């Protein structure tokens, strides 16, 4: 692809990527530190039985996490659509709907779990020796489970509104509060292991209330309205991440049974350490993958294959660097790590240390797994992504453990995660030739026609009328150099000017010293012509095309003298994509003439 010397995409990309990856990883650390701290405190104060209780009750966390992912991701996505149309009313309704669904679903599930708690605990592998402690712990956790569900709302809506500092501070604060409250409840008030459940519930509910309060004070209003159609759409949008948590829920339940039959409470204690290390690794794996996928979704719509490869290369290098450090620590100090959880007994320490050591081998392939899961989902290969997630999160961990553990013991159980982490990579190698035959290239399955056949210009434009007009001349010159017709040049020039002016007026305060990032891609091949226009900015969330379409629908007219370019581009465009990712506007218009 030919590239203009005015391009500044890479500088913009590095700055934005580093900012959002840092925020995502730190926020994920806050969430997972709470989970890991619970197991450490349980082991330190209640030894192996405490860790066994944590293993038996761990699936309950993922029940509420499933609901939180469903409503948090679905609600923030639906709200972003409303923001894109400058429709504050619908944005408030979507936000309110997410709260209503989160509360209703989590409370309904809590009631069901409490009613059937006794048989559920036995299904999860609870032995008579720890039943009373596990039952009390589960009751407290389930009653306050709505707090786990609800904190997924600020986690996702802070990303949407670009309030990354709020997100980071809230979840680090939640982790600190969780640890302090756990210790106070157990050590000061002598509540037993149920004190850990109480500390977790109070901290998660508190974080949820504070996060929602900040969102309501700054960005949203509560609307007492329930729209069934919108509710179904919201849940559809949130299904992919919810399914991942649901797979983990079933996996934990089955793995507990396998381990109990193989080694009883000693195995469960080791599995608690194993699961805690896996949760801690998600700080890197999931935090990095979630941040990366947001960029992939945007660049895919822009046909910007170069930036996608840059993003994925940075993400893999960063992920591997961090994960090898974690891997080295675990392999060098497995005994010391297990002692952090209060495991000192010779036999129990040997089993837990072996679990930690074998777990470390799953980390490098897990980096590729998570990055590719989220990449394929964001790039539009949803079926492939879901198959890979199912294989890694459930099938290829449960099946090997079930088959091999009776033969080789607990070592086979721990090795099942490494098998599960390698299997998606093998499936990818099998699936790639199928997609290559359909015209896609490489592991990323990119359509490289635009890169090979097109030419583009990209540059930053200040939010100033004179600067916009001056840069429109650059656009016109670029179009002429690529031999566009006068009509096509006028279409691109006028529409870009109108859109940038509209964005300046609606997204930024008067006289704001900000910039918009502009990219124009032209692909010309014989009689075919494709023009891709992209404008990105960090102002108030606003989609000029949908806004003017809404005005046209409501008022039945447009002032063509004021918005001629907008009207022209709406009629001429074959596809218009608007996405609010990492708190900024991304508008892509595709004109395809064949």
């Amino acid at each position: 692809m030919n590239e203009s010397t005015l391009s500044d995409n890479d500088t913009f990309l590095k700055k934005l990527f580093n900012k959002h990856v840092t925020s995502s990883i730190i926020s994920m650390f806050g969430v997972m530190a709470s989970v890991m701290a619970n197991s450490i405190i349980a082991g330190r104060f209640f030894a192996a039985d405490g860790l066994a209780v944590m293993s038996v009750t761990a699936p309950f966390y993922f029940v509420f996490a499933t609901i939180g992912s469903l409503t948090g991701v679905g609600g923030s996505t639906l709200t972003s659509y409303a923001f894109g149309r400058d429709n504050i009313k619908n944005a408030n309704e979507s936000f309110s709907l997410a709260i209503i669904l989160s509360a209703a679903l989590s409370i309904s599930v809590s009631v069901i779990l409490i009613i059937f708690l006794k048989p559920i605990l036995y299904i999860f592998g609870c032995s008579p020796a720890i039943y009373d402690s596990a039952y009390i712990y589960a009751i407290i956790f389930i009653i306050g489970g709505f707090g786990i569900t609800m904190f997924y709302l600020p986690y996702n809506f802070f990303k949407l509104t670009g309030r990354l500092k709020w997100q980071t501070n809230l979840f680090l604060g939640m982790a600190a509060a969780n640890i302090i409250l756990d210790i106070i409840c157990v050590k000061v008030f002598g509540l037993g292991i149920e004190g850990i459940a109480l500390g977790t519930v109070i901290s998660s509910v508190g974080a949820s209330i504070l996060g929602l309060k900040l969102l309501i004070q700054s960005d949203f209003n509560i609307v007492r309205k329930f729209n069934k159609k919108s509710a179904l759409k919201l849940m559809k949008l949130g299904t992919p991440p919810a399914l991942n948590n649901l797979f983990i829920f079933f996996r934990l339940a089955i793995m507990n049974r396998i381990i109990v039959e193989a080694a009883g409470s000693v195995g469960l204690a080791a599995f608690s350490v194993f699961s805690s290390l896996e949760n801690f690794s998600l700080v890197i794996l999931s935090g990095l993958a979630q941040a990366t996928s947001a960029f992939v979704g945007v660049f895919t719509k822009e046909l910007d294959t170069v930036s996608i490869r840059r993003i994925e290369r940075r993400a893999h290098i960063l992920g591997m660097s961090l994960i090898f450090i974690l891997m080295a620590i675990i392999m060098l100090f497995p005994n010391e790590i297990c002692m952090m959880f209060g495991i000192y007994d010779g036999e129990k320490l040997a089993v837990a240390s072996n679990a930690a050591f074998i777990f470390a081998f799953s980390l490098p392939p897990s980096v590729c797994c998570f990055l590719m899961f989220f990449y394929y989902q964001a790039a539009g290969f949803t079926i492939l992504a879901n198959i890979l997630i199912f294989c890694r999160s459930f099938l290829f961990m449960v099946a090997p453990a079930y088959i091999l553990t009776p033969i080789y013991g607990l070592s086979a159980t721990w090795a099942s995660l490494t098998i599960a982490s390698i299997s998606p990579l093998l499936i990818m190698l099998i699936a790639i030739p199928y997609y290559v035959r359909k015209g896609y290239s490489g592991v990323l399955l990119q359509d490289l026609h635009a890169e090979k056949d097109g030419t583009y210009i990209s540059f930053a434009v200040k939010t100033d009328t004179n600067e916009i007009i001056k840069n429109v001349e650059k656009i016109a010159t670029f179009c002429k150099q690529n031999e566009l017709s006068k009509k096509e040049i006028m279409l691109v020039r006028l529409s870009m000017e109108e859109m940038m002016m509209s964005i300046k007026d609606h997204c930024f305060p008067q006289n704001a010293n900000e910039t918009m990032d502009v990219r124009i891609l032209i692909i010309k091949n014989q009689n075919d012509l494709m023009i891709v226009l992209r404008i990105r900015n960090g102002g108030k969330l606003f989609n000029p095309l949908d806004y003017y379409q809404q005005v046209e629908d409501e008022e039945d007219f447009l002032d063509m003298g004021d918005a001629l370019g907008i009207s022209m581009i709406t009629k001429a465009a074959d596809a218009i994509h608007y996405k609010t990712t990492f708190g900024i506007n991304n508008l892509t218009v595709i004109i395809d003439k064949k």
Side-chain angles (χ1 to χ4, degrees):
M1 175 182 285
N2 299 319
E3 179 180 355
S4 167
T5 57
L6 293 171
S7 175
D8 61 353
N9 274 1
D10 199 39
T11 301
F12 174 85
L13 192 61
K14 286 179 181 178
K15 182 178 178 181
L16 202 59
F17 180 71
N18 292 339
K19 177 182 177 182
H20 284 269
V21 164
T22 301
S23 174
S24 183
I25 288 178
I26 293 175
S27 299
M28 186 62 67
F29 173 78
V31 175
M32 292 306 171
S34 300
V35 178
M36 189 172 182
N38 287 347
S39 293
I40 292 175
I41 294 170
R44 301 288 293 186
F45 289 113
F46 305 102
D49 283 350
L51 290 173
V53 169
M54 301 307 295
S55 286
V56 168
T57 57
F60 292 120
Y61 175 89
F62 288 96
V63 172
F64 295 104
T66 297
I67 302 171
S69 297
L70 184 73
T71 56
V73 174
S76 62
T77 304
L78 194 62
T79 303
S80 74
Y81 295 163
F83 272 145
R85 292 171 172 81
D86 204 28
N87 192 329
I88 304 302
K89 178 175 176 291
N90 282 0
N92 287 327
E93 288 178 359
S94 300
F95 172 73
S96 303
L97 183 59
I99 295 176
I100 293 170
L101 287 173
S102 294
L105 291 174
S106 59
I107 292 172
S108 299
V109 168
S110 293
V111 172
I112 295 171
L113 290 175
I114 290 173
I115 292 173
F116 298 101
L117 183 56
K118 185 174 181 178
I120 289 174
L121 284 175
Y122 282 119
I123 291 172
F124 287 176
C126 185
S127 65
I130 63 171
Y131 175 80
D132 290 340
S133 297
Y135 185 87
I136 297 172
Y137 187 100
I139 284 288
I140 295 173
F141 191 89
I142 291 169
I143 291 174
F146 72 92
I148 303 294
T149 294
M150 300 297 281
F151 77 56
Y152 276 81
L153 297 180
Y155 182 81
N156 286 283
F157 278 90
F158 281 155
K159 287 181 181 179
L160 172 64
T161 56
R163 302 190 183 278
L164 301 182
K165 289 184 179 179
W166 289 11
Q167 181 190 44
T168 301
N169 293 336
L170 179 68
F171 289 100
L172 287 179
M174 184 183 75
N178 189 10
I179 295 169
I180 293 170
L181 288 170
D182 282 0
I183 295 173
I184 290 175
C185 289
V186 172
K187 195 71 174 175
V188 178
F189 296 116
L191 294 179
I193 198 166
E194 60 266 29
I196 297 176
L198 187 60
T200 301
V201 165
I202 293 173
S203 61
S204 62
V205 171
S208 300
I209 292 173
L210 178 58
L212 291 174
K213 182 180 179 182
L214 290 171
L215 286 168
I216 292 169
Q217 288 178 341
S218 59
D219 299 298
F220 299 99
N221 293 317
I222 296 295
V223 177
R224 293 176 177 82
K225 180 181 179 181
F226 185 86
N227 186 306
K228 183 178 178 181
K229 184 178 179 181
S230 296
L232 292 173
K233 185 176 182 181
L234 182 153
M235 289 189 286
K236 181 180 178 181
L237 291 169
T239 297
L243 282 176
N244 184 47
N245 282 320
L246 192 61
F247 291 148
I248 295 175
F249 162 75
F250 286 116
R251 184 189 83 189
L252 288 175
I254 296 172
M255 292 294 289
N256 278 342
R257 293 299 309 174
I258 294 172
I259 291 169
V260 165
E261 291 178 7
S265 61
V266 173
L268 283 178
F271 189 48
S272 182
V273 176
F274 184 93
S275 298
S276 294
L277 291 175
E278 183 184 7
N279 287 332
F280 188 76
S281 71
L282 291 178
V283 172
I284 299 171
L285 299 175
S286 189
L288 181 61
Q290 286 184 48
T292 304
S293 67
F295 290 86
V296 172
V298 172
F299 294 140
T300 297
K301 295 297 184 184
E302 298 174 9
L303 306 182
D304 191 352
T305 51
V306 175
S307 292
I308 289 174
R309 291 200 299 275
R310 288 172 179 167
I311 282 287
E312 287 297 323
R313 183 165 55 249
R314 286 195 182 97
H316 277 80
I317 292 172
L318 177 60
M320 284 297 183
S321 300
L322 294 174
I323 217 70
F324 271 116
I325 294 173
L326 179 60
M327 182 182 181
I329 293 171
I330 294 172
M331 296 185 76
L332 289 173
F333 306 105
N335 288 343
E336 289 77 5
I337 290 171
C338 293
M339 289 177 184
M340 287 174 54
F341 290 84
I343 301 177
Y344 300 102
D345 179 82
E347 180 189 359
K348 295 174 183 176
L349 181 60
V351 173
S353 296
N354 186 48
F357 186 85
I358 294 175
F359 163 79
F361 288 97
S362 71
L363 290 173
S366 292
V367 174
C368 298
C369 278
F370 271 79
L371 286 173
M372 297 314 295
F373 293 163
F374 283 83
Y375 169 79
Y376 288 135
Q377 196 79 54
F381 301 97
T382 307
I383 294 176
L384 177 60
N386 288 338
I387 290 173
L388 296 179
I389 289 172
F390 174 70
C391 290
R392 200 270 181 185
S393 297
F394 183 78
L395 180 61
F396 283 100
M397 184 167 182
V398 170
Y402 180 79
I403 296 169
L404 299 177
T405 299
I407 303 172
Y408 299 103
L410 285 178
S411 292
T413 309
W414 316 137
S416 63
L417 182 59
T418 301
I419 296 171
S421 300
I422 293 173
S423 62
L425 305 181
L426 298 177
I427 293 171
M428 282 166 49
L429 293 178
I430 295 171
I432 285 172
Y434 166 77
Y435 287 96
V436 168
R437 287 194 294 270
K438 298 179 70 173
Y440 297 102
S441 299
V443 176
L444 299 180
L445 305 182
Q446 290 185 306
D447 182 349
L448 298 180
H449 289 97
E451 181 178 337
K452 293 176 180 178
D453 302 332
T455 181
Y456 71 84
I457 184 173
S458 77
F459 52 92
V461 181
K462 290 185 178 180
T463 54
D464 173 80
T465 301
N466 293 330
E467 286 294 320
I468 290 173
I469 294 173
K470 184 167 65 176
N471 280 280
V472 166
E473 295 303 319
K474 296 180 183 178
I475 294 171
T477 301
F478 173 72
C479 292
K480 290 177 183 177
Q481 291 172 346
N482 285 275
E483 301 178 348
L484 266 63
S485 67
K486 291 183 179 180
K487 183 178 179 180
E488 292 160 351
I489 293 173
M490 183 181 72
L491 170 64
V492 173
R493 176 177 178 172
L494 185 56
S495 59
M496 289 296 286
E497 181 176 343
E498 290 290 349
M499 286 190 291
M500 286 191 286
M501 288 292 191
S502 181
I503 289 170
K504 177 184 76 71
D505 293 337
H506 287 86
C507 296
F508 299 98
Q510 192 173 7
N511 299 322
N513 186 24
E514 301 288 345
T515 60
M516 296 172 277
D517 194 70
V518 176
R519 180 176 182 267
I520 300 175
L521 167 67
I522 297 175
I523 305 169
K524 199 168 185 179
N525 186 14
Q526 295 180 349
N527 296 324
D528 298 340
L529 172 67
M530 178 183 285
I531 305 172
V532 182
L533 313 175
R534 189 265 288 143
I535 303 177
R536 181 186 295 128
N537 73 87
K540 174 185 172 185
L541 301 182
F542 171 71
N543 180 345
L545 294 173
D546 279 1
Y547 172 75
Y548 278 100
Q549 184 64 57
Q550 178 182 322
V551 171
E552 186 177 37
D553 292 341
E554 292 177 355
E555 305 295 338
D556 294 323
F557 74 97
L558 271 174
D559 182 355
M560 299 307 293
D562 181 53
L564 178 60
I566 299 293
S567 178
M568 290 173 62
I569 202 72
T570 301
K571 294 175 182 177
D574 294 272
I576 301 173
H577 304 290
Y578 175 79
K579 188 163 185 155
T580 56
T581 335
F582 30 80
I584 65 173
N585 297 285
N586 296 276
L587 173 66
T588 305
V589 179
I590 299 176
I591 303 169
D592 193 357
K593 295 185 176 182
K594 294 183 178 180

